[in-house]
Amino acid sequence: MVKDIKEIIPIEELESIANHALHTAHKVHDDLGISGEELIEKNQFGDTALKIDVEAEEAVIEVFKKMGLPIRIISEEHGVIEIGKNPQLLGILDGLDGTSQYGKSRGKARYGTMFGIFQGLNPLYKDYLYGGIMEHVADILYFGSRGRGSKKITHGTEVSPIQTSTTSELGQSTKLNADLYYDAKYGTDYVTSVTQFLTGYSIESFGSSAVHYANLAVGKVDGVIECTRKGNLEFAVAYPLISEAGGVMLTREGDYLNEKEYLTFGQNEHVLIISACNPTFAEALLQKLNSQISPPK
């Protein structure tokens, strides 16, 4: 039986610990400097990991080990880490999302460490407790916790609430981020085949889901188009942040992620995910896409 979060730790305390962990990863980023670019090993997905990928994850993991919280962490570089006896929480960790951008322009490009926490070991997306993105170069932590809204912390001290844009329909000012990098890297067209029907709107790809979802959470863009892949770490972390900021995440068929099981949904197939600033804009975007593309049978 899954314990209620109140029986484990107050949500505000969990938020504080997670924020501290991400700030610790930020310090690792800054301290490593150029040495962070060293090649270490291939991870579980066959991608080459850099020193920053590995050590940023270790920084987050060590914070939770010191606190002794009963949590199982699924990470990109370290696999599954069990902390404490009888874990009651599930952590999702990506040490550096946007490694390619880091490699090209460390200290200038946009990329970040992503970490999320869910209640229970086989959670639905709606069982989220916390989701945070530490954007390193800007030194901004974007985070959302259940029932506490989404906020950002700039330079470690300046705290301010954030929310998605109020855009309700597609227009000349519509701004979108899309994961075109994945298609380019692996020779696929999961996202490209969809965005071709959105000509006339501003569409950018930053090569980092962390950046895309941070942009959506603060209202810089109205929507994000990506597809499930590689364990879906990014979606799990983004879901709490976007939900608490006022946004939604759903499939092209209109199925919201709320009731989807993180461990099974989209883990073995590429499912298009639409993230939007609000339900009204999500419906407008889906209507546009589905008027051009027939959903798969």
Side-chain angles (χ1 to χ4, degrees), residues 99-118:
T99 300
S100 64
Q101 306 307 306
Y102 175 91
K104 292 176 184 176
S105 188
R106 176 187 53 81
K108 296 180 180 179
R110 297 183 66 189
Y111 46 77
T113 298
M114 305 182 73
F115 182 61
I117 304 174
F118 288 76

Side-chain angles (χ1 to χ4, degrees), residues 33 45 147 270:
F45 302 109
H270 293 284

Side-chain angles (χ1 to χ4, degrees), residues 151-163:
K151 303 178 181 69
K152 68 176 181 178
I153 301 177
T154 306
H155 305 310
T157 58
E158 304 169 28
V159 183
S160 54
I162 57 176
Q163 61 181 32

Side-chain angles (χ1 to χ4, degrees), residues 100-101 104 178-186 205-208:
S100 64
Q101 306 307 306
K104 292 176 184 176
D179 184 15
L180 303 178
Y181 172 77
Y182 187 86
D183 281 352
K185 181 177 180 179
Y186 294 101
S205 180
F206 286 88
S208 169

Side-chain angles (χ1 to χ4, degrees), residues 173-194:
S173 62
T174 296
K175 295 181 180 179
L176 304 169
N177 283 167
D179 184 15
L180 303 178
Y181 172 77
Y182 187 86
D183 281 352
K185 181 177 180 179
Y186 294 101
T188 62
D189 65 351
Y190 300 119
V191 176
T192 308
S193 63
V194 173

Side-chain angles (χ1 to χ4, degrees), residues 21 56-66 73 75 78 81 83 93:
E57 284 192 1
E58 289 177 352
V60 173
I61 292 168
E62 282 305 309
V63 167
F64 280 84
K65 282 184 177 180
K66 288 180 180 178
I73 297 178
S75 68
H78 291 80
I81 306 294
I83 299 175
L93 175 61

Side-chain angles (χ1 to χ4, degrees), residues 69-90:
L69 281 178
I71 186 170
R72 174 181 296 166
I73 297 178
I74 299 175
S75 68
E76 183 163 10
E77 311 303 339
H78 291 80
V80 179
I81 306 294
E82 299 270 344
I83 299 175
K85 296 181 179 180
N86 189 27
Q88 296 291 313
L89 305 174
L90 185 69

